[in-house]
Amino acid sequence: MPGVRNRGEMIRQFIIENVDSHPNDIVTLTSENFNISRQAVNAHLKKLISQKSITTDGKTRNISYKLHPLIEDTIIFKINGLEEDRVWRDDVKPKLAPLPDNIIDIWNYGFTEMLNNAIDHSQGSHVIINIKKYPSFSEIVITDNGVGIFRRIQKLLNLHDERHAVLELSKGKLTTDPDHHTGEGIFFSSRMFDEYAILSGGVYFSHEYNKPEDWIMESKSPTEGTTVFMKLSNTSSRKSKTIFDEYAGGNDYGFDKTVVPVSLAGYGNESLVSRSQAKRLLARIDRFKIVIFDFENVDQIGQAFADEVFRVFKNQHPDIQIYFVKASRSVEDMIIRALRSGD
């Protein structure tokens, strides 16, 4: 009996861990993985439903499954006079607990940084906080009714387009209030969580852990204010200190290194060929000691673009270490050409 019970627990744990990404074919996936019948999988699903671990949507052939949150709560606060550390301590942490210390540390950092952004920068009147804790992961969504983060950055930095704000956020050290903020909160939060996203205006910004590139897409239905989404496994071994150390250029633990997704310098599928695009990519890069240009999803670049980044800028800033990764053969050839012309 213990062996049967343990196998049953393994099957149900597998369902819990995979149903979120396989809502419509979790029966087939589980059946094939454990070499058991669909009827046996359905028996485990029924048990999980009775335990309120998962729920169903639809009927018969159109049925789909999804996780049922262990805890779900939505709280609305007036921004005026709000203190992010008090909200974390009194309203959020108790709902997430118990969780390992490293997970609590990440949630503490990310939640308080994002709520503080809404308090200090949104110019809104209210903020809505939605908390969901599932058996295998937790999610928090913070929504304010302010001017919108991308629109605010665009206006204050005199950028041509809201999408430029995403490129600047992805570099790090971006703040519209340097006397009170370092500009590190969004950068590090986006790299601590399994999934991190910002929806504001007509732009959606997303970053996933272990995927160095950030990506954006335009929303068909522009929204007011700003919504920040954060998701993290309840059993992750990740530590906030590890993320901080990853972007420290030396032993002083300063924020000296950045990874820049080159694809964000253009719009949609446009080619990166001009010096103006390169200058957009290079804005504020001189604040770092180590810069890594990530050419993921960039098939080719023009001579002027490569020359501006890898010869002109490099010659003007000899103390900055510049590297590139994930370059296609044609991109690498153009970079090498620019580097050789600078010798």
Side-chain angles (χ1 to χ4, degrees), residues 131-292:
I131 307 164
K132 291 182 181 179
K133 182 179 180 181
Y134 294 92
S136 56
F137 63 89
S138 299
E139 297 176 347
I140 293 181
V141 180
I142 302 173
T143 302
D144 66 63
N145 63 342
V147 298
I149 184 172
F150 302 136
R151 191 172 302 162
R152 176 175 169 81
I153 292 172
Q154 177 193 3
K155 180 179 180 180
L156 294 178
L157 298 187
N158 195 29
L159 302 175
H160 177 68
D161 190 280
E162 281 185 335
R163 290 171 291 186
H164 290 178
V166 177
L167 174 60
E168 295 308 308
L169 282 174
S170 70
K171 297 173 186 175
K173 289 189 178 181
L174 173 65
T175 177
T176 56
D177 186 10
D179 291 336
H180 300 94
H181 290 269
T182 62
E184 299 179 4
I186 289 177
F187 181 90
F188 283 112
S189 294
S190 69
R191 280 145 180 84
M192 287 182 185
F193 291 94
D194 296 334
E195 297 179 25
Y196 176 95
I198 302 176
L199 174 62
S200 182
V203 179
Y204 181 82
F205 161 80
S206 176
H207 185 91
E208 295 183 30
Y209 185 73
N210 272 340
K211 294 185 179 180
E213 73 282 0
D214 296 278
W215 57 273
I216 59 175
M217 62 183 295
E218 295 182 56
S219 173
K220 294 181 179 179
S221 302
T223 60
E224 297 298 324
T226 300
T227 295
V228 178
F229 169 84
M230 296 171 284
K231 177 180 177 180
L232 182 64
S233 167
N234 294 335
T235 57
S236 174
S237 60
R238 199 171 311 137
K239 296 181 179 180
S240 56
K241 183 179 183 300
T242 303
I243 305 300
F244 290 129
D245 290 351
E246 183 179 349
Y247 292 93
N251 296 324
D252 57 356
Y253 296 98
F255 181 18
D256 294 329
K257 183 177 77 172
T258 187
V259 180
V260 184
V262 179
S263 61
L264 297 186
Y267 293 134
N269 296 321
E270 75 175 12
S271 298
L272 298 174
V273 297
S274 69
R275 291 188 186 274
S276 61
Q277 290 171 318
K279 290 176 181 178
R280 184 186 308 155
L281 182 75
L282 294 167
R284 301 185 310 105
I285 289 301
D286 57 357
R287 302 183 182 189
F288 300 91
K289 295 180 181 179
I290 302 172
V291 179
I292 302 172

Side-chain angles (χ1 to χ4, degrees), residues 109-147:
Y109 178 85
F111 175 81
T112 54
E113 285 285 341
M114 295 307 98
L115 182 55
N116 178 261
N117 279 348
I119 294 170
D120 287 355
H121 304 304
S122 73
Q123 299 178 12
S125 60
H126 291 78
V127 62
I128 302 171
I129 300 169
N130 180 260
I131 307 164
K132 291 182 181 179
K133 182 179 180 181
Y134 294 92
S136 56
F137 63 89
S138 299
E139 297 176 347
I140 293 181
V141 180
I142 302 173
T143 302
D144 66 63
N145 63 342
V147 298

Side-chain angles (χ1 to χ4, degrees), residues 323-342:
Y323 304 94
F324 64 90
V325 296
K326 299 184 181 178
S328 67
R329 180 62 182 272
S330 61
V331 168
E332 186 172 351
D333 287 345
M334 195 62 73
I335 294 172
I336 292 173
R337 178 182 174 183
L339 290 171
R340 287 177 176 170
S341 65

Side-chain angles (χ1 to χ4, degrees), residues 76-82 125-127:
I76 302 176
F77 293 99
K78 289 183 178 180
I79 288 179
N80 186 32
L82 194 62
S125 60
H126 291 78
V127 62

